[in-house]
Amino acid sequence: MSQLPECVEVGPAEAQHCVIWLHGLGADGHDFEPLVPELGLVDRSVRFVFPHAPVQPVTLNGGMAMRAWYDIRSPRIQENEDTGGIRASQAMVEALIQQQHQRGIPSHRIILAGFSQGGAIALHTGLRQAEPLGGILALSAYLPLVSELDNERHPASQVTPIFMAHGSDDPVVPLSLAEHACHVLQQADYSVTWKVYPMQHQVHPAEIADIATWLRQQLDLGAEPSAP
């Protein structure tokens, strides 16, 4: 098993569901921690796990060391991809999934989520699982190693639902790149929920509401509880 990354964990010790959420380039596991209360799921037996990516030099940023799931070598982010780094992060995420199995949570109750580079790893890893996950959530992301998808995707994960959301004016990961990923997945008969919001490379309030609804649906938690 690959070495487990350090993580921020939010939620009950005896959870029945888990969301593993990967941050974007240069951020860390705390980045999306403040979002958890807005989703209204923690006291509904959902554990959130936010791993920290390893610190490594990033070519696009002049070789500066920062938290990254893999190197970015070109402004055109799908050129000269860091295959080794992508696969190493896949192994780390799979180790996290196995850890949740050992804590009593089966794959169909695990959501793999991520923003930007983290969303790319979520897609890459989730589509290759022999035990299908409860869902894949990819925000402001794209599909890495797309030419390898047909050879490497696991037939069992064909049933995994996917939620993809993107900003209409994203200057970091172009909308066209995400649209292409969505098209590739739909052509391969995956069930993809696709949303575009009026924003750049960020998270939109309407997006948060849609994520919360989608997570409740995939984890079979029913409607959001009414306020007292």
Side-chain angles (χ1 to χ4, degrees):
M1 178 182 290
S2 177
Q3 183 176 359
L4 287 165
E6 294 183 5
C7 300
V8 176
E9 188 171 303
V10 180
E14 301 300 324
Q16 298 177 17
H17 314 272
C18 180
V19 179
I20 300 173
W21 199 310
L22 312 179
H23 63 77
L25 178 67
D28 63 20
H30 293 285
D31 195 33
F32 279 89
E33 184 182 2
L35 190 66
V36 173
E38 299 184 52
L39 298 174
L41 298 174
V42 170
D43 52 355
R44 306 191 74 187
S45 302
V46 182
R47 174 188 300 133
F48 286 80
V49 176
F50 300 99
H52 300 297
V55 176
Q56 58 183 299
V58 175
T59 302
L60 186 63
N61 290 337
M64 182 183 300
M66 61 184 64
R67 292 198 180 276
W69 297 108
Y70 51 90
D71 191 16
I72 301 290
R73 297 167 173 164
S74 168
R76 297 174 63 87
I77 54 180
Q78 281 195 307
E79 290 184 355
N80 192 19
E81 290 182 285
D82 178 15
T83 302
I86 291 169
R87 297 197 190 284
S89 286
Q90 174 189 348
M92 280 191 288
V93 173
E94 289 174 343
L96 286 173
I97 293 170
Q98 287 303 313
Q99 181 188 55
Q100 295 306 313
H101 288 171
Q102 292 166 7
R103 296 175 72 179
I105 301 182
S107 290
H108 71 274
R109 292 182 181 174
I110 296 174
I111 302 289
L112 189 52
F115 176 80
S116 192
Q117 196 182 61
I121 291 295
L123 282 171
H124 173 86
T125 303
L127 299 175
R128 289 162 170 78
Q129 299 307 295
E131 295 183 19
L133 301 172
I136 302 170
L137 179 67
L139 310 178
S140 302
Y142 67 101
L143 188 62
L145 304 185
V146 66
S147 63
E148 304 296 331
L149 181 62
D150 283 344
N151 292 330
E152 296 182 1
R153 64 192 179 105
H154 199 287
S157 286
Q158 191 77 44
V159 300
T160 303
I162 301 168
F163 183 101
M164 294 186 69
H166 216 87
S168 56
D169 303 305
D170 192 329
V172 178
V173 179
L175 177 62
S176 60
L177 202 56
E179 287 175 331
H180 176 67
C182 180
H183 176 75
V184 167
L185 293 170
Q186 289 174 334
Q187 288 295 108
D189 293 326
Y190 289 96
S191 175
V192 184
T193 299
W194 169 253
K195 299 278 189 176
V196 178
Y197 301 91
M199 63 180 184
Q200 296 189 357
H201 198 63
Q202 59 198 97
V203 179
H204 193 277
E207 181 182 16
I208 296 171
D210 289 341
I211 290 169
T213 298
W214 185 83
L215 286 173
R216 285 193 297 271
Q217 290 172 345
Q218 305 319 316
L219 297 176
D220 196 23
L221 296 176
E224 185 175 6
S226 301

